[in-house]
Amino acid sequence: MSANHLVESLDSKRLEGSILTLDLSLLFIGLLCLGLVTLLADYAYMLYIHRKLPPGPIPLPLIGNTHLLPENKPWIYFEALAKQYDSPVITFWIGRNPTIWINDAWAASELLDKKAALYASRPRMLVFSELSGVGQYNLVNMYYGDRWRVHRKLTHQGVGLQQVRKYRGFQNNESQVMAFNILHDPERFVTHMERYATSVVSIIGFGRRVASISDPLITQVLAIMQRAAELNVPGKSFPMIMETFPWLAKFPKRIAPWLKPFGKGGRGSAFYYALADEANKTSQQEPCYVKQLFREAPKYNLIPTEIASLTGNLFGAGSDTSSSTLVTFALACCAFPETLPAAWEELDRVVGSHRSPSWEDEPHLPYVKAFVKEVFRWRSVAIIGGQPHSPTKDDYWKGYLIPKNSWVQGNTWAIHHNEREFPEPDRFNPNRFLCDSSDSRPFPNDKGYMTFGWGRRVCSGQGLAEQGTFISIARLLWAFRIEKARNKDGQEVPVDIFAYTNGLNMRPEPFSCSIVPRSEPIRDTIVAEGKEALLELSVYDGETKYTLSQFYEKPNVG
């Protein structure tokens, strides 16, 4: 090859390389422009929709308002936003999805109760539902439809309002045992409350009680429930940031450390199914909810994951929330001792010291009933009203659009801390619920609180929780002086009424208190009733061979 031909060949290759580089550059610029146009078009659509929605902060492209979320207790932030925009219903964008927050009792009643059928569904919940491994097999997550009706019917067969009255006998006995245990070991009052609540639902579900505070069913079940509750609170860190950027959930788990906490999914489901299958085969007691589920399984084509979910929901409806409510009760006693003498006077007059309260006393204990209602109101456990609702079609509130399938959340904190209905809302005041009291205010429902949610998605365990909370609080008020602990110098140890956990089902952070019987005759009655209750409950004694740790490496059931 001559020198001229070599030069021409090199020039030709340089030209081809330049053209290729130019082509790649143009392609990159084209893709960049296309991406920018798509982003601008998408953002323009977000702003267009935003103008139709209830008021709220203007969203940014892609991230919406997620960057504005506080690290803890966003329900307080949403309450402040409602005041800032002077609107009880506000919009807050999680990524590209608008979420609607209801911060007023009357607006919640108007939308979620009066339009119960319209707001009976659930939105897509990536973290809590899809990544958990159970998704649409769990009543809590299910979209509204025929399968939801089946699960709701089966749930009512376990904890419906007509059913729970049948449980009063062992529920009362377990409450007596709780008082007996607290008498002998007051420092671990929280654990005794957890054992009580877990044992009641274990008897209902499995036909066996939880006799010891060391039973792994207590710590493991509550750990599952509390962890699940954390996966329902909007956030800007992992894992909740995946609600803003769903594509983060599509990475292979081997290269996505933020997905590793979810493991293979379904571990809790496998655990609950094993407990249910064991009880179905071995329990001779009634009630035994899981035996009923297995009898109904062929009729409704229930798969193991559904049986596990129905069983697990029973614990969610009755163990974590009920024990958290009782711990809040103890905190209120310590923080507001001025509310206790009226309860003691009423209990001494109606009940006396030689027996503890019963459900038959309830009509004659109006102040104690008001005390229980104020516990539900003051620090509601399901602080954002449980799982979000979702309308099955577009709806409107005061001319504002609430889009189909959007996330609609009742902010129970804001509802129960509205100065209009509850003056000085952080003050624990049972008089709010006495009809002839000057502290009473109008409310859109007869109960005077919205602790258990709304409409067709109201908490399935409401009847069981209200029934058990009344008898337990009445008994503990009757039995003990629950006061602030004292240090070695005899000075009171202060308690913090704002020190609560950050999950959907919030509970007080650990605190110390003094719990002593109110009199010697009452002490004797606590002991006598506790021993008798243990004898009556002995028919439910039993153990399980399963623990949650056994299922960490097992695949999903179903």
Side-chain angles (χ1 to χ4, degrees):
M1 180 180 294
S2 67
N4 288 337
H5 284 112
L6 180 60
V7 170
E8 288 176 1
S9 177
L10 290 174
D11 289 342
S12 175
K13 289 181 178 179
R14 289 193 190 100
L15 180 59
E16 289 175 359
S18 299
I19 293 173
L20 179 60
T21 301
L22 180 61
D23 287 344
L24 289 175
S25 299
L26 291 174
L27 177 62
F28 176 76
I29 293 172
L31 291 173
L32 186 64
C33 290
L34 178 62
L36 183 60
V37 169
T38 302
L39 177 64
L40 290 175
D42 181 71
Y43 186 49
Y45 180 74
M46 287 176 65
L47 294 178
Y48 168 73
I49 294 295
H50 181 75
R51 294 180 58 189
K52 296 184 173 186
L53 302 172
I58 296 176
L60 295 179
L62 299 180
I63 66 170
N65 304 127
T66 302
H67 63 293
L68 299 176
L69 283 170
E71 293 295 333
N72 292 296
K73 299 177 175 58
W75 46 86
I76 299 176
Y77 172 67
F78 293 129
E79 177 191 30
L81 279 183
K83 294 177 180 178
Q84 176 184 335
Y85 287 96
D86 193 24
S87 174
V89 180
I90 61 168
T91 302
F92 190 88
W93 289 73
I94 301 296
R96 298 174 61 256
N97 298 314
T99 64
I100 310 299
W101 287 81
I102 305 173
N103 299 274
D104 172 89
W106 305 90
S109 178
E110 178 183 345
L111 290 170
L112 303 181
D113 280 332
K114 294 181 180 178
K115 297 181 179 179
L118 177 60
Y119 285 89
S121 197
R122 294 288 194 223
R124 183 192 183 196
M125 293 183 284
L126 173 65
V127 176
F128 181 78
S129 176
E130 296 177 18
L131 293 179
S132 70
V134 292
Q136 291 301 302
Y137 293 121
N138 192 316
L139 173 70
V140 173
N141 309 325
M142 278 184 183
Y143 305 134
Y144 187 65
D146 291 340
R147 203 59 184 168
W148 175 87
R149 293 184 184 92
V150 168
H151 277 242
R152 186 71 169 182
K153 178 181 179 180
L154 292 170
T155 300
H156 281 171
Q157 291 176 5
V159 292
L161 291 176
Q162 300 304 315
Q163 286 296 113
V164 297
R165 294 183 67 87
K166 301 176 184 178
Y167 306 150
R168 284 187 168 186
F170 61 78
Q171 197 171 29
N172 182 63
N173 285 340
E174 287 290 9
S175 177
Q176 291 171 324
V177 173
M178 174 178 61
F180 179 74
N181 290 338
I182 290 175
L183 174 68
H184 291 95
D185 185 16
E187 290 188 358
R188 290 196 283 185
F189 70 96
V190 172
T191 308
H192 296 312
M193 291 171 175
E194 291 172 344
R195 186 215 62 80
Y196 152 76
T198 306
S199 190
V200 168
V201 293
S202 183
I203 292 174
I204 296 170
F206 306 130
R208 78 166 184 94
R209 68 186 297 260
V210 175
S212 170
I213 59 175
S214 62
D215 191 312
L217 195 61
I218 300 175
T219 54
Q220 293 184 350
V221 165
L222 292 180
I224 293 173
M225 297 302 168
Q226 291 168 16
R227 175 55 180 158
E230 294 171 0
L231 301 181
N232 273 278
V233 178
K236 56 186 178 184
S237 58
F238 284 104
M240 294 309 295
I241 191 65
M242 287 188 284
E243 295 289 356
T244 298
F245 303 116
W247 48 269
L248 289 171
K250 296 184 181 298
F251 280 77
K253 290 183 180 179
R254 63 181 182 275
I255 63 170
W258 57 87
L259 292 174
K260 289 182 179 178
F262 292 95
K264 296 179 180 179
R267 295 176 300 194
S269 183
F271 173 58
Y272 282 126
Y273 182 78
L275 292 176
D277 184 56
E278 177 187 51
N280 180 52
K281 293 174 180 176
T282 62
S283 177
Q284 302 299 315
Q285 298 299 326
E286 293 292 347
C288 186
Y289 178 54
V290 298
K291 294 177 74 172
Q292 184 173 357
L293 287 181
F294 276 92
R295 287 194 296 266
E296 299 278 9
K299 177 180 177 181
Y300 295 109
N301 296 316
L302 295 178
I303 64 173
T305 300
E306 291 178 290
I307 293 175
S309 295
L310 287 161
T311 306
N313 289 343
L314 178 66
F315 282 89
S319 59
D320 181 28
T321 52
S322 292
S323 60
S324 296
T325 300
L326 292 178
V327 180
T328 281
F329 154 73
L331 179 65
C333 290
C334 292
F336 300 91
E338 69 277 6
T339 64
L340 299 175
W344 294 335
E345 185 282 326
E346 186 175 79
L347 287 161
D348 290 342
R349 173 168 40 84
V350 175
V351 178
S353 60
H354 299 292
R355 68 174 180 88
S356 62
S358 68
W359 277 286
E360 288 69 28
D361 296 315
E362 187 174 4
H364 311 293
L365 298 172
Y367 186 80
V368 172
K369 288 175 63 177
F371 204 104
V372 173
K373 287 187 173 185
E374 180 68 342
V375 170
F376 283 136
R377 192 284 310 175
W378 181 62
R379 293 290 185 266
S380 301
V381 173
I383 199 59
I384 51 177
Q387 310 298 329
H389 294 238
S390 186
T392 53
K393 63 179 181 180
D394 286 353
D395 189 32
Y396 291 86
W397 176 81
K398 296 189 182 304
Y400 293 112
L401 171 68
I402 299 180
K404 175 183 177 180
N405 297 330
S406 58
W407 187 307
V408 180
Q409 192 84 55
N411 186 353
T412 313
W413 171 271
I415 289 169
H416 286 169
H417 282 73
N418 192 313
E419 292 273 358
R420 181 186 59 217
E421 281 80 44
F422 306 106
E424 297 182 82
D426 285 311
R427 183 166 70 92
F428 185 86
N429 178 17
N431 291 326
R432 304 181 199 276
F433 294 96
L434 295 175
C435 296
D436 57 351
S437 172
S438 61
D439 294 327
S440 177
R441 297 288 189 277
F443 201 77
N445 66 34
D446 294 336
K447 290 183 180 295
Y449 55 80
M450 293 180 166
T451 304
F452 296 94
W454 302 269
R456 299 184 184 181
R457 290 288 186 165
V458 69
C459 175
S460 302
Q462 177 175 353
L464 181 68
E466 290 178 328
Q467 177 175 285
T469 302
F470 167 77
I471 200 63
S472 297
I473 287 181
R475 178 163 285 116
L476 294 174
L477 283 171
W478 166 86
F480 301 111
R481 289 181 176 273
I482 303 176
E483 302 170 324
K484 293 175 184 175
R486 294 183 180 274
N487 60 24
K488 60 182 180 180
D489 299 322
Q491 298 177 325
E492 289 184 341
V493 178
V495 294
D496 185 351
I497 63 173
F498 297 101
Y500 271 73
T501 59
N502 192 50
L504 173 72
N505 292 337
M506 71 172 193
R507 62 162 46 197
E509 298 285 358
F511 65 97
S512 298
C513 66
S514 168
I515 305 178
V516 297
R518 292 177 52 226
S519 70
E520 283 305 310
I522 285 178
R523 175 195 290 272
D524 294 340
T525 304
I526 296 170
V527 172
E529 290 188 348
K531 290 180 177 179
E532 183 178 356
L534 285 170
L535 287 174
E536 294 180 4
L537 289 166
S538 63
V539 296
Y540 299 112
D541 287 344
E543 295 182 355
T544 177
K545 63 182 180 182
Y546 295 111
T547 63
L548 181 61
S549 59
Q550 295 172 262
F551 296 87
Y552 266 66
E553 300 304 324
K554 291 189 177 182
N556 293 354
V557 297

